[in-house]
Amino acid sequence: LVACGDYDEIDIRIPVPVTLTAETPRCVTLDAGGASAAILTLEDVAGETRIQGLRFVGVDSASRPTVEVANSDCVFESCDFTGNRIHDSSRAALFVFSSRVTLVGCRISDNVQTRSGAAGVRINSADGALLSDCLFEFNQAGAGYAFALGGALRAASFTRLEDCTFRGNTSNH
């Protein structure tokens, strides 16, 4: 259980399956403060990790996403990915590589990708993903691979969307 509050955090690495739960949904903010580093990285974690009710904000990175999930399984529930700037076309606020992820009730908003790609979520995984009841709004991507969903989402694999809302996402494509 994580106590409500604003935390200045970068480069948190989770090596084993855990559950991180905010005391109340969205009362915990992990803020990178404009740093060019990921806030949270899950890499090669054997077993399912659950992240519940956390807000990830403030990354301004040339090469790192806000949250990276690689070779791991993770469920994000009621999380926010907001106000991040990514300058690497292969990354986004949430970057998924060779992993299985589920997002339920998450908000992905006001993220900027200054090059091509997606500002909100990038899924580069054959394991697929489920995004349910998520809100993607006002994400901006530069020219390139924003597909039909504006700057919100780039999915290079099987991704299932259920009851998600897309509003005001743009790209220069």
Side-chain angles (χ1 to χ4, degrees):
L1 191 61
V2 182
C4 291
D6 295 336
Y7 299 89
D8 297 331
E9 296 291 339
I10 59 170
D11 212 21
I12 299 169
R13 296 188 178 268
I14 297 180
V16 297
V18 296
T19 297
L20 293 176
T21 303
E23 199 170 55
T24 58
R26 296 184 169 95
C27 77
V28 173
T29 299
L30 301 179
D31 190 340
S36 184
I39 293 174
L40 180 69
T41 302
L42 287 82
E43 187 171 6
D44 300 321
V45 177
E48 184 178 89
T49 294
R50 299 183 79 81
I51 310 294
Q52 299 168 318
L54 303 183
R55 298 181 68 241
F56 300 95
V57 304
V59 167
D60 190 344
S61 178
S63 61
R64 299 291 310 276
T66 304
V67 174
E68 182 169 12
V69 180
N71 303 309
S72 305
D73 293 341
C74 191
V75 176
F76 293 92
E77 296 176 64
S78 300
C79 290
D80 290 356
F81 301 85
T82 304
N84 300 288
R85 292 182 60 83
I86 310 297
H87 309 284
D88 178 342
S89 62
S90 66
R91 301 291 190 258
L94 173 60
F95 177 68
V96 178
F97 179 78
S98 294
S99 300
R100 186 174 55 234
V101 297
T102 300
L103 279 76
V104 178
C106 293
R107 289 188 292 214
I108 299 92
S109 62
D110 298 305
N111 298 292
V112 175
Q113 165 58 267
T114 61
R115 296 186 183 191
S116 63
V121 176
R122 166 95 193 273
I123 299 169
N124 188 10
S125 176
D127 297 324
L130 169 62
L131 286 68
S132 177
D133 194 32
C134 293
L135 172 62
F136 291 83
E137 64 180 350
F138 308 115
N139 297 289
Q140 275 184 284
Y145 303 102
F147 300 116
L149 300 176
L153 172 66
R154 179 179 178 190
S157 65
F158 172 76
T159 298
R160 192 170 76 205
L161 302 173
E162 296 177 350
D163 299 320
C164 291
T165 301
F166 293 84
R167 179 177 35 230
N169 300 290
T170 60
S171 74
N172 295 328
H173 182 66

